[in-house]
Amino acid sequence: MNYRHAFHAGNFADVVKHAVLARILAYLGQKDAAYRVLDTHAGAGIYDLAGAEAQRTGEWEGGIGAVLRAEFTPEVAALLKPWLDVVRAVNPAEAGAQPDESATAGAAPLRHYPGSPLIAQALTRPQDRLLLCETVAGVRESLEDAIGRDGRVKVLPTDAWQALSAYLPPKERRGLVLVDPPFEEPGEFHRMAHGLIEAHKKWPTGIYALWYPIKDVRAVDGFRREIERARLPKVLNIQFDLRAVRQVDALSGCGLMIVNPPFTLADELRQMLGALVRVLATDGTGRVRIGWITAER
Ligand SMILES: C[S@@+](CC[C@H](N)C(=O)[O-])C[C@H]1O[C@@H](n2cnc3c(N)ncnc32)[C@H](O)[C@@H]1O
């Protein structure tokens, strides 16, 4: 397995995933009671957009670069704010080399992009806890450096699929499980559906957000059917198509399957992702689909 997220950091798929992640965390933070985040595929935590990998693909330019250049309505700007505040916080004015001077994180040029662990670290409170799993040793070391000293956070070498049974339910009984596999190996959709179904037996009230690529629509349909057959209550499916599917080996969109979404989320995402698709999908074939696999019974 040689997936390296640094090639893709800040691309449209990260934008969608991280903007949604921040909305869920904002909701969880509305009550004082502590909650827990389990990030099963954590990655390196922060990415250098001037680094060789990010520069080679330039994917971030059409993702976070485009978002930072765009103008949004006040309502959409408010929905994006928690996430974009974290992007700004890791790009202080003295950040140095500029991969793209026209994309600025507020006053400062965009140089770094925060991954899901840093977004969760920034948006959680003193009473909350984070478990971050990353199996690749070098990536895990980068993650530990990025997190720094924070007694609320544990970085673990645990395999994601084992973590789903080992660490659930959390003692707080509130929180989010983010599952974001690299989809480099065959069977990842099935592993993810199976992992969710088993985890849900242990912790039926947790919020789960499962990211998936839209390339091969048959694989996506199979995943959806597997979740439908499990008849889990309250599953919202979000599909963000950057363009119409052309080839099964090229990412044309991404999805998030969300179990037990906050009751405000579907409406928020209609607004927020609707605005993002207008900014990110440049060939006129982009669209957002948000629908219930199963609503509350
Ligand atoms: C898509 S990246 C994660 C990106 C991160 N969630 C974010 O949004 O910033 C997937 C990560 O999972 C790691 N990984 C792959 N298989 C894993 C497994 N079975 N358990 C835990 N981590 C795994 C990879 O090394 C990679 O860093």
Side-chain angles (χ1 to χ4, degrees), residues 259-283:
V259 181
N260 297 319
F263 73 99
T264 47
L265 194 71
D267 284 345
E268 288 184 355
L269 297 191
R270 275 187 197 100
Q271 259 200 85
M272 186 179 80
L273 298 180
L276 286 175
V277 83
R278 286 191 285 279
V279 167
L280 301 177
T282 49
D283 78 354

Side-chain angles (χ1 to χ4, degrees), residues 156-231:
L156 302 158
T158 316
D159 173 81
W161 312 118
Q162 286 171 7
L164 286 175
S165 54
Y167 305 134
L168 298 182
K171 75 171 187 325
E172 295 83 359
R173 303 277 166 163
R174 306 181 65 219
L176 169 68
V177 180
L178 174 65
V179 186
D180 181 21
F183 283 88
E184 288 257 294
E185 287 169 24
E188 205 79 305
F189 273 110
H190 171 68
R191 250 190 308 281
M192 190 157 79
H194 177 74
L196 168 67
I197 293 161
E198 292 304 305
H200 190 272
K201 287 179 191 157
K202 297 192 72 175
W203 191 31
T205 55
I207 302 173
Y208 298 81
L210 281 60
W211 183 92
Y212 60 88
I214 302 178
K215 292 183 182 177
D216 177 350
V217 286
R218 285 175 57 193
V220 173
D221 284 350
F223 175 58
R224 186 197 162 97
R225 277 198 300 275
E226 215 171 332
I227 301 290
E228 271 169 1
R229 275 197 303 272
R231 298 177 67 79

